[in-house]
Amino acid sequence: SEQMVVYLFGLVGGTLLGLVLTTATTPYLTFSDTAVDPAAVGVPSYMLAANWSSIGVFYGALVVAFILALAIAARYSATIGLGKALRLGED
């Protein structure tokens, strides 16, 4: 359950931080001279676009990797026993 909390905070926190940073920096991207007013030239302002199906596939792959990591950790901790797991750092 501790690993699930870590994975959840990492997934949600990373997503929120990415969205905030993307929306905060996108308006300041310039690919031309600063003296040119984009509205006067007829160039529309920047717009954030995302391929949501690819993002969904990526998050699905992350969830599968998290479940696999949890299963491996649970199996390992079940096979070594509690006493041995608690004494791992004693040596």
Side-chain angles (χ1 to χ4, degrees):
S1 63
E2 292 174 4
Q3 282 300 109
M4 288 176 50
V5 171
V6 170
Y7 292 156
L8 183 65
F9 274 116
L11 189 65
V12 172
T15 301
L16 291 177
L17 186 62
L19 287 173
V20 167
L21 289 175
T22 301
T23 55
T25 58
T26 299
Y28 298 105
L29 294 176
T30 56
F31 297 106
S32 64
D33 189 12
T34 57
V36 177
D37 183 19
V41 179
V43 177
S45 60
Y46 294 111
M47 204 164 113
L48 182 62
N51 186 352
W52 294 108
S53 61
S54 295
I55 293 172
V57 169
F58 178 71
Y59 280 118
L62 277 178
V63 168
V64 168
F66 292 162
I67 290 171
L68 184 64
L70 285 172
I72 291 170
R75 182 178 169 112
Y76 178 71
S77 64
T79 58
I80 65 169
L82 183 60
K84 199 171 192 179
L86 293 176
R87 285 185 279 248
L88 280 176
E90 276 187 9
D91 296 337

